[in-house]
């Protein structure tokens, strides 16, 4: 979603909800005195109806609707023409209620790192969760469900019953400004495996999910004009799978991308929306436009809803097309199908039995501005997501960091020894300045805890790395935050170990200018000059280059971890928790090794919907981590170290059901914790197809499992390969073709740390 225009800059929130500060004060008084009431309207566990029954019931409701009532569902309401923001008290997106049939309003709210903080009073009332990409680094299927439930528990009491997420686009361009919002990282398989828990968790709380951005939203540079030229094979093998997995998990709403796809705008592309998503993938829900993304009346091509439903100005890019006049030209069957698709998830996931507030006439002001859903339980979960996976612990007493990636650890510098009496914390990124007011005045501004744009959740008093160490370390902590390398080096002479911080952020609407941290020159120089053990910690929105890495002893990375950043990272540094994350992206050796955003022709000004520029996806299916398979990299996809070690032994492959395998093949391997402490390992399976099929030579991720083990313990792990895992897409046959092999299996701790191989 994007919000643009000069009108945004004069508003406090500068997002889809742009109430001015004066508006809030007029109603509620001074913002310091706003009463925070802990929500008693907690979402309840939904009893899920079958899809077939939901479609039937939705169809029965549609028969009772008038044309005007249908109109209020297929086109967003509340926004006035000329405005980039809804009226005071409304949500990012809104539909009309049909009270006589108990059809509630759909209150759509942005979600990248939680409930979007569009107003200053909301800051601190909602949890600033880790980014979606940070959650991908956990490789933890169970954590997604717990996080999804927590999101539902926050959205519902705050009046939102539609979460505008998850973001699923597979990373093609390392500099994409929204990569940090996408769960897939560089692997369609990873996103497909992680998304199910998220979706089911949210739905269990009578709140809907919206999978986005369909499709190939691979860059933000001139995103409304870029025209990806992508093969059907690449679409089906690289970009579609996380969306198919979302459908299989029960997601019944999709949001289109701003870009074109093979010459046609994504929100008017009948090939991708109607043929591929609805007909082939079997999607029974509704497709909405992204905000002001529609450039034609695209209902016949498969679009079901226009959002937000107004024209914010006379610009040709921002017009309304789902007008009553246009809708009346549709066959009755098509209009009814659109409304049925919108009502199907409303019926299936209990939104009629559990309605949220109606924003009309100020009906949601209390929920939006006064209800506090940032519970102690959610704050603890946010911290646990950074430092300790939700599913770990119990009888094995394993405490392992969920999303903090240990990239390097020479001579076991980490965890910091109790013999270290003084720690030097160096660099402004160790304690970033509070830029809350600046973010409230610029909708697409982020910081080192949260992404900029519609996915932003501004944290209240986030814990910095410096603060985390000050709170948890028994050593003396000295610090220099000046980014003056001479001052930092001088201070470090008083310490026995240095923690050196670098960071950068990203935002919707623009791609990152490079793959550097903002303090790169400072980090490099200090790393070169220090004579004591040095640990670099980076807070980042995706892949970076690391010219300092050869000069430091250890390195940690985390993808915009939200409000609990410092506490979680301090726990890892001090050894309270053991790193267990694996990178969902490749860290390239050089920026030139990564795919760059496509750039427009020089001298061309893009202003109208008929303009575009080509973006050839010449790499085909070699997008994501396979793009680097013939290149040297700094750290590969799937990489992440631990404070313990693991051995891989006794691999077996079973291919027949008669031997107890219910899949096409079952691969079993024994994992042993051979180190001194408890820890977690992610066993990864990479499948190499027969050479004549033209797949990546070093394999595709086709299985993984997180294993939690005390020191000395062993466990047998079985990874199942299904028919789809052993199939490739045929453009000639327009479908998936199962291969009988032979296949080569590469099993290990990362895509390049392969411990065992087998063929079958």
């Amino acid at each position: 979603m994007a919000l643009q225009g000069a009108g945004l800059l004069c508003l406090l929130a500068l997002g889809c909800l742009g109430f001015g500060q004066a508006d809030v004060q007029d109603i509620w008084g001074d913002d310091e005195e706003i009463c925070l009431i802990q929500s008693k309207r907690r979402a309840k566990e939904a009893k899920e109806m079958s899809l077939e029954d939901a479609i039937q019931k939705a169809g029965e409701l549609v028969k009772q609707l008038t044309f005007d009532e249908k109109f209020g569902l297929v086109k967003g309401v509340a926004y006035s023409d000329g405005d980039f923001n809804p009226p005071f008290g409304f949500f990012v997106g809104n539909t009309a209620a049909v009270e006589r049939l108990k059809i509630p309003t759909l209150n759509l709210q942005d979600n990248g790192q939680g409930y979007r903080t569009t107003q200053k009073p909301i800051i601190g009332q909602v949890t600033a969760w880790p980014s979606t990409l940070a959650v991908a680094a956990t490789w933890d299927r169970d954590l997604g469900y717990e996080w999804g439930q927590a999101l539902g528990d926050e959205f519902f009491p705050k009046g939102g019953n539609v979460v505008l997420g998850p973001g699923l686009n597979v990373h093609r361009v390392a500099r994409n400004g929204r990569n940090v919002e996408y769960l897939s990282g560089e692997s369609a398989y990873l996103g497909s495996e992680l998304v199910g828990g998220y979706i089911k968790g949210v739905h269990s709380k009578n709140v809907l999910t919206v999978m986005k951005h369909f499709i190939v939203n691979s860059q933000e540079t001139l995103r409304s004009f870029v025209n990806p030229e992508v093969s059907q094979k690449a679409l089906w093998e690289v970009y579609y799978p996380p969306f198919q997995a979302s459908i299989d998990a029960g997601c019944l709403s999709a949001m289109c991308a701003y870009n074109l796809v093979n010459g046609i705008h994504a929100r008017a592309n009948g090939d991708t929306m109607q043929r591929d998503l609805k007909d082939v993938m079997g999607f029974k829900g509704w497709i909405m436009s992204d905000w002001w993304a529609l450039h034609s009346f695209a209902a016949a091509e498969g679009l079901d809803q226009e959002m937000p439903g107004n024209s914010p100005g006379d610009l040709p890019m921002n017009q309304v097309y789902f007008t009553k006049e246009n809708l009346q030209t549709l066959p009755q069957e098509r209009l009814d199908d659109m409304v049925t698709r919108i009502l199907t998830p409303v019926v299936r996931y209990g939104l009629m039995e559990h309605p949220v507030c109606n924003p009309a006439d100020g009906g949601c002001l209390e929920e939006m501005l006064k209800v506090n859903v940032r519970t102690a339980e959610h704050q603890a979960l946010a911290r646990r997501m950074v430092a300790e996976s939700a599913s770990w612990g119990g009888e094995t007493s394993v405490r392992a960091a969920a999303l903090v990636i240990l990239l390097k650890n020479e001579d076991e510098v980490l965890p910091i020894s109790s013999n270290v009496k003084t720690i030097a914390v160096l660099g402004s990124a160790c304690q970033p300045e509070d830029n809350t007011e600046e973010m409230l005045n610029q909708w697409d501004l982020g910081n080192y805890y949260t992404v900029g744009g519609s996915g932003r959740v501004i944290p209240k008093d986030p814990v910095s790395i410096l603060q985390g160490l000050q709170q948890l370390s028994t050593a003396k902590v000295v610090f220099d935050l000046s980014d003056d390398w001479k001052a930092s080096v001088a201070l470090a002479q008083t310490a026995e170990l240095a923690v050196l911080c670098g960071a950068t952020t990203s935002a919707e609407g623009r791609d990152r200018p490079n793959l550097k941290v903002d303090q790169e020159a400072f980090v490099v120089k200090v790393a070169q000059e220090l004579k004591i053990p040095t640990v670099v910690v980076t807070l980042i929105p995706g892949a970076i280059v690391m010219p300092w890495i050869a000069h430091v002893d250890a390195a940690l990375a985390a993808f915009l971890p939200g409000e609990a950043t410092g506490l979680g990272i301090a726990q890892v540094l001090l050894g309270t928790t053991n790193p267990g994350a694996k990178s969902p992206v490749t860290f390239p050796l050089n920026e030139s090794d990564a795919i760059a955003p496509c750039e427009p022709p020089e001298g061309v000004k893009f202003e109208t919907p008929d303009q575009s520029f080509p973006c050839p996806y010449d790499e085909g299916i070699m997008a994501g981590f396979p793009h680097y398979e013939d290149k040297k990299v700094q750290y590969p996809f799937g990489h992440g170290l631990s404070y313990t070690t693991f051995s891989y032994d006794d691999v077996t492959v079973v291919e027949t059901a008669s031997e107890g395998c219910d899949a096409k093949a079952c691969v079993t391997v024994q994992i042993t914790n051979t180190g001194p402490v408890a820890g977690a390992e992610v066993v990864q399976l990479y499948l190499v197809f027969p050479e004549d099929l033209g797949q990546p030579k070093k394999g595709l991720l086709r299985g993984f499992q997180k294993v939690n083990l005390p020191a000395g313990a062993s466990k047998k792990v079985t990874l199942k390969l299904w028919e789809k895992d052993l199939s490739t897409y045929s453009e000639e046959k327009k479908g998936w073709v199962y291969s009988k092999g032979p296949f080569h299996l590469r099993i290990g701790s990362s895509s390049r740390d392969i411990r065992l191989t087998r063929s079958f």
Side-chain angles (χ1 to χ4, degrees):
M1 176 180 304
L3 296 162
Q4 307 169 7
L8 296 174
L9 301 180
C10 64
L11 298 172
L12 174 66
L14 303 182
C16 291
L17 290 173
F19 315 145
Q21 187 171 6
D23 295 329
V24 176
Q25 290 176 336
D26 288 345
I27 291 181
W28 300 109
D30 187 87
D31 56 14
E32 296 297 328
E33 299 177 358
I34 291 178
C35 174
L36 300 183
I37 53 176
Q38 194 65 49
S39 171
K40 296 181 180 179
R41 269 190 93 204
R42 298 297 295 273
K44 299 179 180 179
E45 292 284 345
K47 292 183 179 180
E48 187 175 309
M49 180 185 297
S50 73
L51 178 59
E52 294 74 16
D53 288 346
I55 294 172
Q56 180 180 348
K57 184 174 180 179
E60 293 170 355
L61 287 170
V62 170
K63 293 177 182 178
Q64 303 175 61
L65 295 175
T66 67
F67 175 81
D68 285 345
E69 289 168 339
K70 296 174 185 177
F71 179 66
L73 289 167
V74 301
K75 174 179 171 291
V77 301
Y79 283 67
S80 298
D81 284 342
D83 289 340
F84 278 95
N85 296 283
F88 183 51
F90 282 80
F91 290 82
V92 169
N94 312 267
T95 63
V98 184
E99 294 181 358
R100 67 185 181 87
L101 296 178
K102 297 184 179 180
I103 297 173
T105 61
L106 293 181
N107 300 340
L108 293 73
Q109 187 73 354
D110 284 315
N111 169 66
Q113 292 181 236
Y115 185 99
R116 184 181 176 188
T117 49
T118 51
Q119 293 300 310
K120 188 173 184 178
I122 302 174
I123 300 171
Q125 295 179 1
V126 297
T127 306
W129 300 99
S131 69
T132 310
L133 184 61
V135 175
T138 70
W139 295 55
D140 188 333
R141 295 176 178 90
D142 295 333
L143 181 59
Y145 184 80
E146 188 172 2
W147 186 36
Q149 285 190 311
L151 289 172
D153 274 336
E154 295 207 357
F155 271 69
F156 187 89
K158 295 292 285 182
N161 58 2
V162 182
V163 172
L164 293 174
L168 296 172
N169 296 80
V170 174
H171 296 194
R172 174 182 185 264
V173 174
R175 286 166 43 201
N176 183 2
R178 303 193 78 174
N179 277 350
V180 75
E181 299 183 52
Y182 294 145
L183 187 62
S184 299
E186 290 179 341
S187 167
Y189 184 88
L190 180 63
S192 298
E193 289 295 303
L194 296 179
V195 72
Y198 176 110
I199 287 172
K200 292 177 181 179
V202 173
H203 289 174
S204 74
K205 299 298 182 175
N206 312 115
V207 178
L208 306 184
T209 55
V210 179
M211 56 184 186
K212 64 180 189 180
H213 299 92
F214 195 77
I215 189 70
V216 290
N217 179 207
S218 300
Q219 68 178 67
E220 291 294 287
T221 299
L222 286 176
R223 61 184 181 182
S224 293
F225 302 98
V226 64
N227 176 28
E229 298 171 344
V230 55
S231 69
Q232 283 293 302
K233 186 175 182 64
L235 283 173
W236 283 100
E237 292 189 7
V238 179
Y239 301 106
Y240 282 167
F243 291 89
Q244 180 69 73
S246 299
I247 296 168
D248 296 342
C251 184
L252 287 165
S253 183
M255 183 190 296
C256 281
Y258 285 101
N259 51 272
L260 292 80
V261 184
N262 293 326
I264 304 173
H265 287 285
R267 52 277 187 196
N269 194 313
D271 290 343
T272 56
M273 288 193 299
Q274 185 63 53
R275 183 193 65 197
D276 294 350
L277 184 59
K278 290 184 174 180
D279 295 345
V280 179
M281 292 192 219
F283 180 61
K284 302 301 183 184
W286 93 91
I287 305 173
M288 68 178 72
S289 71
D290 208 330
W291 271 230
W292 305 291
L294 197 56
H295 305 317
S296 64
F297 181 53
E301 287 72 32
L303 192 73
D304 301 299
Q305 186 183 66
E306 182 177 15
M307 278 291 168
N310 76 320
S311 173
D314 294 329
L315 298 175
M317 298 295 292
N318 302 130
Q319 299 305 303
V320 176
Y321 293 93
F322 273 39
T323 62
K324 287 186 176 181
E325 292 75 18
N326 282 339
L327 289 166
Q328 286 171 337
T329 67
L330 290 175
Q332 186 67 43
E333 294 79 10
R334 172 59 186 134
L335 179 59
D336 287 352
D337 173 64
M338 293 159 64
V339 181
T340 300
R341 288 176 173 274
I342 294 169
L343 292 181
T344 294
V346 173
V347 170
R348 188 180 191 192
Y349 297 118
L351 274 65
M352 294 178 69
E353 293 78 13
H354 303 280
V356 290
C357 58
N358 187 335
D361 300 321
C364 289
L365 289 174
E366 180 173 293
E367 286 84 349
M368 188 178 290
L369 297 176
K370 295 182 73 175
V371 171
N372 185 356
V373 293
R374 184 171 169 252
T375 63
E377 293 84 359
H378 287 181
Q379 292 176 66
L381 176 59
R383 179 173 172 177
R384 191 152 46 92
M385 289 169 72
V386 179
E388 180 185 356
S389 178
S391 62
W392 301 343
E395 61 184 15
T396 61
S397 299
V398 174
R399 290 172 59 81
L403 59 81
V404 180
I405 307 167
L406 179 60
L407 297 172
K408 180 179 182 179
N409 192 23
E410 289 189 354
D411 300 324
E412 297 183 349
V413 166
L414 293 178
I416 298 172
S417 169
S418 59
N419 294 325
V420 173
K421 303 304 180 184
T422 304
I423 302 170
V425 177
L426 308 174
S428 61
C430 294
Q431 183 158 308
E433 294 183 3
D434 181 2
N435 67 336
T436 296
E437 292 301 325
E438 290 84 353
M439 286 192 288
L440 287 169
N441 284 286
Q442 183 178 332
W443 80 277
D444 60 351
L445 183 65
N447 63 19
Y448 299 155
Y449 306 110
T450 185
V451 67
S454 60
R456 185 180 68 192
V457 179
I458 301 174
K460 181 177 177 61
D461 301 323
V463 180
S464 69
I465 296 168
L466 172 60
Q467 291 168 331
L469 283 170
Q470 288 173 325
Q471 291 181 37
L472 300 179
S473 177
T474 58
K476 180 181 179 181
V477 177
V478 297
F479 59 91
D480 177 68
L481 307 177
S482 67
D483 288 344
D484 180 326
W485 73 267
K486 291 182 179 180
S488 287
V489 171
L491 178 71
Q493 293 177 0
T494 68
E496 296 148 279
L497 181 140
V499 174
L500 179 58
C501 300
T504 190
T505 190
S506 65
E508 177 181 358
R510 60 182 180 275
D511 291 319
R512 295 160 59 191
N514 51 55
L515 294 182
K516 301 177 180 180
V517 295
D518 297 339
Q519 306 81 11
E520 183 181 275
F522 165 76
V523 174
V524 170
K525 187 63 175 176
V526 174
Q528 290 172 338
E529 296 292 329
L530 289 182
K531 306 302 181 185
I532 59 175
T534 303
V535 181
V536 169
V537 180
T538 51
L539 306 178
I540 50 180
I544 57 170
V545 291
M546 304 177 190
W548 62 79
I549 198 67
H551 305 289
V552 301
D553 302 282
L556 297 174
F559 300 111
L560 304 188
E563 65 180 47
T565 294
L567 289 173
I569 288 175
Q571 286 183 262
V572 175
L573 290 169
L574 298 170
T576 307
T577 56
N578 185 354
K582 299 287 185 177
S583 180
V585 301
T586 303
F587 290 93
L589 195 61
N590 303 294
E591 186 169 326
S592 59
D593 294 331
I595 296 175
C598 291
E599 297 290 344
E602 291 186 11
V604 179
K605 190 175 183 179
F606 289 86
E607 296 180 322
T608 60
D610 61 334
Q611 293 179 287
S612 67
F613 63 95
C615 184
Y617 281 34
D618 291 335
E619 73 283 352
I621 62 172
M622 299 297 290
F625 79 88
H627 168 73
Y628 299 96
E629 73 171 14
D630 292 327
K631 298 178 172 67
K632 292 183 178 180
V633 300
Q634 195 71 70
Y635 295 109
F637 175 85
H639 174 72
L641 304 176
S642 170
Y643 294 153
T644 190
T645 55
F646 298 92
S647 67
Y648 288 59
D649 302 288
D650 302 331
V651 63
T652 60
V653 181
V654 174
E655 298 183 57
T656 62
S658 61
E659 297 182 60
C661 176
D662 59 352
K664 285 293 182 180
C666 295
V667 183
T668 300
V669 59
Q670 179 169 291
I671 305 299
T672 302
N673 183 341
T674 55
V677 295
E681 171 70 324
V682 179
V683 182
Q684 302 168 42
L685 184 155
Y686 295 86
L687 179 77
V688 181
F689 283 83
E691 187 174 350
D692 61 346
L693 294 179
Q695 295 290 310
K697 297 188 294 292
K698 295 183 180 178
L700 290 167
L701 182 67
R702 282 295 183 265
F704 66 87
Q705 184 62 53
K706 199 155 215 171
V707 187
N708 313 292
L709 293 172
S714 298
K715 184 176 181 178
K716 287 190 177 293
V717 176
T718 298
L719 304 173
K720 295 182 178 182
L721 293 168
W722 304 93
E723 182 172 325
K724 188 68 170 288
D725 298 324
L726 307 178
S727 300
T728 58
Y729 187 83
S730 168
E731 293 184 340
E732 179 183 358
K733 297 182 179 180
K734 297 182 180 181
W736 293 93
V737 177
Y738 170 65
S739 173
K740 295 183 179 180
F743 299 99
H744 186 60
L745 302 178
R746 306 172 76 240
I747 304 159
S749 188
S750 82
S751 60
R752 299 199 182 188
D753 182 5
I754 301 302
R755 310 291 183 86
L756 298 168
T757 60
R758 285 292 186 276
S759 297
F760 74 97

